[in-house]
Amino acid sequence: MSNKVLIKEIFESIQGEGPYIGVNQLFVRFSKCNLNCDYCDTDFQTNLKEYTETDFINEINKYNNIHSVSLTGGEPLLEVDFLKNTLKNIDKKIYLETNGTLYENLKQIIDYIEIISMDIKLPSSTKMPDMFDIHKKFIETSAEKNKEIFLKVVFDENITREEIIKTVNLAKSHNLLIVLQPKTDGEVLNLKSDFISSVFYKYIEIYKNIRLIPQVHKFINIR
Ligand code: SF4
């Protein structure tokens, strides 16, 4: 074992997003990302701590009575070599929070992952190019291994009809749950409730496996 990584933080808390909202998890926040979303409000690059693979395994295995270990970031799949060497020695359910772009890296560790929370990056909210083709490959990689995967869509007032249709087309191929998450500015939800529900109904009109779930941890002021 020789790899080392810089990790922002490892902490126990309560999942505040998606269908596993409310479960207790151990969060591991990695410190790199391959994207630069306009709405990103996560500090993952300051006050980092270096972990060897052995340190990491020992640290994670200290925690008991957790639902799962959430690998988050940043983008955890950028540390695929480190994860390949460590996850096999961690006897806990692994929940991956990912931006859904690094499918070749996912292939290398997918056998260790149980649940995948995958973002669909909408150009209207990220201000980045369309990534639907890459997301499709990521979903296919997961589906080939029958992994539990759901799609998280952060949207704002600029979401387009075309994005709604493209998201649904991705989800339909494997009947995946789409979690609609209204964008927050810091702790504040600035989108109007009428607009939020109108987006929900535009989705549900063409696809039934939809849930609207805002980020709950921000309302109860936990990280
Ligand atoms: S993928 Fe996630 S961590 Fe990376 S820039 Fe986008 S929101 Fe931030």
Side-chain angles (χ1 to χ4, degrees):
M1 290 197 176
S2 58
N3 286 320
K4 291 179 182 173
V5 294
L6 291 170
I7 290 177
K8 163 74 184 174
E9 52 191 347
I10 298 178
F11 61 99
E12 201 173 338
S13 190
I14 303 165
Q15 177 58 249
E17 298 181 355
Y20 284 87
I21 220 159
V23 303
N24 63 322
Q25 289 187 316
L26 184 67
F27 290 83
V28 179
R29 189 176 303 291
F30 289 91
S31 63
K32 294 180 193 158
C33 193
N34 57 324
L35 302 184
N36 186 19
C37 307
D38 190 60
Y39 57 76
C40 185
D41 61 359
T42 309
D43 170 15
F44 53 86
Q45 290 175 318
T46 61
N47 299 323
L48 307 178
K49 183 173 170 189
E50 188 175 75
Y51 283 83
T52 65
E53 291 171 358
T54 307
D55 290 343
F56 181 75
I57 293 164
N58 291 341
E59 180 66 21
I60 303 298
N61 283 338
K62 269 192 216 161
Y63 290 84
N64 293 311
N65 302 319
I66 50 170
H67 171 275
S68 47
V69 177
S70 171
L71 306 178
T72 188
E75 173 50 58
L77 289 174
L78 287 171
E79 304 293 2
V80 66
D81 291 334
F82 184 86
L83 291 172
K84 213 171 13 182
N85 289 338
T86 53
L87 293 183
K88 61 185 171 202
N89 293 309
I90 292 172
D91 183 21
K92 297 195 166 34
K93 194 185 283 188
I94 303 296
Y95 177 108
L96 173 68
E97 302 198 45
T98 175
N99 61 31
T101 56
L102 302 173
Y103 54 91
E104 292 293 351
N105 293 13
L106 176 66
K107 281 180 192 168
Q108 297 182 52
I109 57 162
I110 194 161
D111 289 339
Y112 304 118
I113 310 282
E114 294 206 32
I115 305 164
I116 302 175
S117 166
M118 180 194 136
D119 288 355
I120 299 285
K121 297 298 186 185
L122 303 182
S124 61
S125 58
T126 61
K127 311 291 185 232
M128 291 196 305
D130 182 322
M131 291 176 213
F132 286 97
D133 289 344
I134 299 171
H135 287 330
K136 186 164 187 274
K137 288 182 180 154
F138 197 100
I139 290 169
E140 282 164 3
T141 302
S142 162
E144 278 164 18
K145 291 280 188 170
N146 286 321
K147 293 292 167 178
E148 179 180 345
I149 179 168
F150 59 89
L151 310 179
K152 194 181 79 187
V153 179
V154 176
F155 68 92
D156 66 13
E157 63 280 6
N158 299 311
I159 187 169
T160 67
R161 180 86 193 159
E162 187 192 1
E163 287 175 329
I164 292 173
I165 292 168
K166 283 182 163 183
T167 317
V168 166
N169 287 343
L170 278 182
K172 258 186 186 164
S173 56
H174 299 284
N175 191 28
L176 303 182
L177 172 67
I178 296 177
V179 175
L180 297 175
Q181 185 174 294
K183 188 187 87 171
T184 47
D185 298 313
E187 312 298 298
V188 185
L189 181 58
N190 280 324
L191 294 174
K192 294 205 163 40
S193 48
D194 283 358
F195 177 77
I196 293 172
S197 56
S198 78
V199 171
F200 173 77
Y201 284 109
K202 279 179 190 158
Y203 267 98
I204 208 109
E205 202 177 277
I206 56 172
Y207 187 59
K208 298 299 170 220
N209 201 0
I210 301 282
R211 284 190 223 163
L212 173 69
I213 310 179
Q215 289 177 301
V216 166
H217 55 292
K218 293 191 175 172
F219 294 111
I220 54 175
N221 200 25
I222 56 170
R223 59 179 178 159

